[in-house]
């Protein structure tokens, strides 16, 4: 006897619904079946690259496939981001992005991709705190002393950054503006030359990533007054935060995360998220991150997505106030 078409359709839908969880589980179990490429949109050897390679190695061990780091630096991280946005949405091309991805929409007049539309969040991974550091010639050993000195000497101090619109620029700008400090911004092409000039006394202060300035802090060629994250660093527990000194609620670390092309299967995103969480909990990864001044984070894909939106909105006003635009 022939089954009515409506009943056949209903049974087909019921069967599909019943098999959906199984199919997703199978897809997750089968992934990855070949090497994965992790695009780092900054040069090799830099603070982002160093942390990315720690995680890539651990994820490779956990997932049983090589994870190849592909450095595609340029345009404040946008060249690498575009490459991943245009890649196949199959989980085999990852973007190890930084906070720069939330600054670019406000900095650039136009972008060839939309991070909210073309990329999907996987997880926050780590944060490298920024450090408020000053040259030893500055007669201040606390944040309050530095603010008082800087306000008493308007237009006499200069501060460096890793470049116009970089988080090292925006954090220092926001600090100076909220404290009523009038100082000259000197943008450099990266942290290294800025650090050299700070040590030489060519500039008087800056907010730079802790892993960039740590060697100079340890040998006392510059003074570390505060960190910019909400909590104190485990590496320098005696150093206060700007939030607990002069900027309540301030939090501006150079955070990092993992993203994939939009449309990547949810099961693959969840697998990657679980593997990142596992890696960040491992003692060896935490120890290796600590040596670089990086603090592990971790999040769900949804939490990371909400964080990306919040950070994009947050920095838009700061970028606008600086008047900086990039081509």
């Amino acid at each position: 006897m022939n089954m009515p078409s409506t009943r056949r359709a209903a049974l087909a839908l019921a069967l599909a619904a019943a098999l959906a969880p199984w199919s997703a589980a199978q897809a997750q179990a089968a992934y990855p079946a070949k090497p994965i490429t992790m695009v780092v949109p900054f040069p090799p050897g830099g603070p982002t690259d160093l942390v990315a390679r720690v995680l890539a190695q651990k994820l490779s061990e956990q997932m049983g496939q090589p994870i190849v780091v592909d450095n595609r630096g340029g345009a404040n991280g946008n060249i690498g981001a575009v490459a991943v946005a245009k890649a196949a949405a199959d989980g085999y091309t990852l973007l190890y992005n930084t906070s720069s991805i939330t600054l670019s929409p406000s900095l650039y007049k136009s972008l060839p991709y939309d991070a909210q539309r073309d990329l999907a969040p996987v997880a926050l991974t780590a944060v490298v705190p920024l450090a408020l550091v000053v040259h030893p010639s500055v007669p201040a050993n606390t944040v309050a002393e530095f603010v008082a000195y800087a306000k008493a000497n308007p237009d006499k101090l200069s501060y460096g950054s890793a470049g116009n619109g970089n988080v090292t620029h925006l954090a220092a700008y926001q600090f100076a503006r909220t404290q009523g400090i009038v100082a000259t911004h000197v943008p450099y092409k990266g942290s290294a030359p800025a650090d050299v000039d700070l040590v030489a006394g060519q500039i008087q202060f800056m907010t730079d990533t802790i892993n960039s300035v740590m060697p100079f802090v340890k040998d006392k060629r510059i003074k570390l007054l505060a960190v910019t994250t909400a909590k104190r660093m485990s590496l320098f527990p005696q150093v206060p935060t700007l939030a607990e000194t002069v900027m309540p609620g301030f939090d501006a670390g150079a955070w990092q995360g993992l993203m994939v092309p939009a449309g990547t299967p949810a099961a693959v995103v969840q697998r990657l998220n679980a593997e990142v969480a596992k890696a960040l909990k491992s003692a060896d990864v935490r120890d290796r991150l600590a040596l670089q001044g990086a603090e592990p984070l971790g999040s769900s894909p949804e939490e990371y997505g909400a964080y990306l939106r919040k950070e994009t909105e947050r920095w838009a006003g700061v970028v606008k106030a600086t008047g900086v635009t990039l081509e």
Side-chain angles (χ1 to χ4, degrees), residues 55-144:
L55 284 172
Q57 180 181 340
K58 192 64 177 181
L59 291 174
S60 177
E61 294 172 3
Q62 292 176 182
M63 301 176 77
Q65 287 288 349
I67 296 184
V68 181
V69 174
D70 180 8
N71 294 94
R72 297 198 187 187
N76 206 29
N78 290 314
I79 291 176
V82 169
V84 176
K86 294 181 177 180
D90 55 9
Y92 290 97
T93 306
L94 318 177
L95 175 67
Y96 195 80
N97 69 285
T98 70
S99 50
S100 65
I101 204 166
T102 61
L103 306 179
S104 289
S106 300
L107 283 170
Y108 289 83
K109 294 180 180 179
S110 63
L111 288 172
Y113 77 104
D114 183 323
Q116 304 288 337
R117 179 194 65 212
D118 302 326
L119 295 166
V122 174
L124 275 164
T125 56
V127 61
V128 179
L130 300 178
L132 173 61
V133 286
V134 301
H135 187 263
S137 64
V138 175
N141 293 308
T142 67
V143 177

Side-chain angles (χ1 to χ4, degrees), residues 47 161-163 166 168 188-196 206-209 212:
S161 75
N166 186 277
T168 58
Y188 291 81
K189 292 183 178 179
S191 288
D195 295 338
V196 169
M206 66 184 298
T207 54
D208 200 4
T209 53
S212 294

Side-chain angles (χ1 to χ4, degrees), residues 100-321:
S100 65
I101 204 166
T102 61
L103 306 179
S104 289
S106 300
L107 283 170
Y108 289 83
K109 294 180 180 179
S110 63
L111 288 172
Y113 77 104
D114 183 323
Q116 304 288 337
R117 179 194 65 212
D118 302 326
L119 295 166
V122 174
L124 275 164
T125 56
V127 61
V128 179
L130 300 178
L132 173 61
V133 286
V134 301
H135 187 263
S137 64
V138 175
N141 293 308
T142 67
V143 177
E145 289 175 356
F146 176 70
V147 169
Y149 174 76
K151 291 176 72 172
N153 292 274
D155 280 324
K156 293 183 180 180
L157 304 183
S158 57
Y159 65 97
S161 75
N164 272 321
N166 186 277
V167 68
T168 58
H169 169 207
L170 299 181
Y173 174 86
Q174 197 168 12
F175 165 68
R177 185 179 66 170
T178 60
Q179 301 309 305
I181 295 171
V182 180
T184 302
H185 172 230
V186 182
Y188 291 81
K189 292 183 178 179
S191 288
D195 295 338
V196 169
D197 272 8
L198 179 61
V199 170
Q202 299 299 314
I203 54 177
Q204 287 70 51
F205 72 102
M206 66 184 298
T207 54
D208 200 4
T209 53
I210 190 67
N211 50 8
S212 294
V213 300
M214 196 157 26
F216 307 115
V217 170
K218 288 184 175 179
D219 64 16
K220 299 183 179 179
R221 284 190 281 174
I222 56 177
K223 294 186 286 188
L224 171 58
L225 301 187
V227 294
T228 64
T229 39
K231 297 180 181 179
R232 293 191 181 195
M233 282 187 66
S234 56
L235 202 61
F236 295 101
Q238 77 282 7
V239 177
T241 67
L242 284 179
E244 65 184 282
T245 51
V246 296
M247 297 177 71
F250 188 65
D251 183 6
W255 53 263
Q256 304 168 4
L258 198 65
M259 302 185 79
V260 291
T264 298
V268 171
V269 172
Q270 290 297 334
R271 171 72 188 280
L272 286 167
N273 180 271
E275 296 292 349
V276 169
K278 181 180 177 181
L280 292 175
K281 290 176 183 176
S282 65
D284 59 330
V285 167
R286 297 178 79 89
D287 289 344
R288 292 176 67 188
L289 292 184
L291 289 174
Q292 299 174 29
E295 306 273 346
L297 292 175
S299 72
S300 68
E302 294 75 20
E303 289 168 339
Y304 188 24
Y307 186 74
L308 285 164
R309 291 188 292 273
K310 181 180 177 182
E311 285 289 281
T312 302
E313 294 171 2
R314 169 197 181 188
W315 288 111
V318 181
V319 171
K320 184 178 180 180

